[in-house]
Amino acid sequence: MKGLLIKDLLLLKNQQRFFLLFFLMSAGMLLADFNSVFVINYVTMIFSLFTLSSISYDEFDNGYAFLFTLPITRNQYAAEKYVFGLVTGGFAWIVVTVFAVSMNFFRGRAGAGELVGMAFLYLFISLLFLAVVVPVQLKFGAEKGRVVLISMIGAIFAAGFVMIKAAKTLQIDFLSTAAASLSPGLVIAAVPIISLAAVFVSYFISVKIMKKKQF
């Protein structure tokens, strides 16, 4: 797995200007007093999704056929994609979170602990998103995978729209009920558990997908 991780990190060197530009843009947003939590969440999500780019590189020009002549297993390949997403997203998360907390400190604002807590929450949400997109990319490839992801997002929004309409028709206030039954502490505790469980299940799905692939 170490070799695969080094390979993907070296591929990212070709996009180092993009990384620098993105960090500068993020710093500019924080200096302009954008919502810190939004910036942290956005940057973490974007950098985590470089895993999809690495999968696309591997698929290009019969790359899989070459990779699996090396002493690696399909289990290791699948696991490395999650580790790579965590490394890239985690690095971006640390850099932007430290900068956001520093900006809050220099502006004389309190609530650094709350900001870090929310940042941790969105770090696990990015893991949850990674758990969804990695098996989809492995199964359908870059082009079809993009269509499937868009379809899934559309289906989620459609389901949400239908639920809201049904709630209005039946005069049910889901938001008030949820707010009354779920405390913030419970939500913060549940998100990491759900995210880690999703990654665990997603990994085994990805392994099955890779074992069925023919090169």
Side-chain angles (χ1 to χ4, degrees):
M1 186 192 298
K2 181 180 177 182
L4 289 172
L5 189 58
I6 292 172
K7 182 264 298 179
D8 284 342
L9 290 173
L10 288 175
L11 283 174
L12 288 184
K13 287 181 66 178
N14 298 327
Q15 304 180 49
Q16 55 187 333
R17 290 183 179 178
F18 173 79
F19 292 152
L20 181 59
L21 179 62
F22 211 85
F23 277 125
L24 289 174
M25 184 182 72
S26 304
M29 292 170 71
L30 291 171
L31 287 170
D33 208 13
F34 275 64
N35 185 290
S36 299
V37 175
F38 166 77
V39 178
I40 293 169
N41 178 40
Y42 181 66
V43 173
T44 304
M45 196 78 72
I46 291 297
F47 274 74
S48 296
L49 289 180
F50 277 110
T51 299
L52 303 186
S53 297
S54 72
I55 295 173
S56 298
Y57 274 120
D58 294 341
E59 291 175 340
F60 180 71
D61 201 18
N62 293 319
Y64 279 138
F66 169 75
L67 275 177
F68 288 105
T69 61
L70 303 174
I72 59 170
T73 65
R74 302 190 184 211
N75 298 53
Q76 289 174 332
Y77 179 86
E80 187 269 340
K81 294 307 172 187
Y82 295 94
V83 174
F84 179 65
L86 182 60
V87 168
T88 53
F91 173 75
W93 179 85
I94 290 171
V95 172
V96 179
T97 301
V98 168
F99 191 78
V101 171
S102 301
M103 290 303 301
N104 270 23
F105 174 78
F106 285 119
R107 286 176 175 141
R109 294 176 181 172
E114 182 181 351
L115 175 59
V116 173
M118 289 299 296
F120 266 111
L121 185 64
Y122 282 107
L123 176 63
F124 283 105
I125 289 175
S126 70
L127 279 180
L128 183 61
F129 190 65
L130 196 67
V132 174
V133 298
V134 169
V136 170
Q137 182 85 349
L138 290 174
K139 175 69 175 177
F140 298 102
E143 296 300 324
K144 290 183 180 179
R146 191 177 298 114
V147 174
V148 171
L149 286 173
I150 292 172
S151 301
M152 288 172 62
I153 293 170
I156 292 170
F157 276 104
F161 177 78
V162 170
M163 287 180 63
I164 291 171
K165 285 293 184 182
K168 285 183 178 179
T169 303
L170 299 173
Q171 296 183 344
I172 300 172
D173 192 347
F174 285 125
L175 292 177
S176 298
T177 305
S181 59
L182 296 175
S183 66
L186 181 61
V187 173
I188 291 173
V191 168
I193 295 172
I194 293 171
S195 299
L196 293 174
V199 170
F200 186 75
V201 173
S202 176
Y203 163 70
F204 283 102
I205 293 173
S206 297
V207 169
K208 286 187 176 181
I209 292 170
M210 290 305 300
K211 285 184 176 180
K212 289 180 180 179
K213 279 184 175 289
Q214 299 293 325
F215 309 123

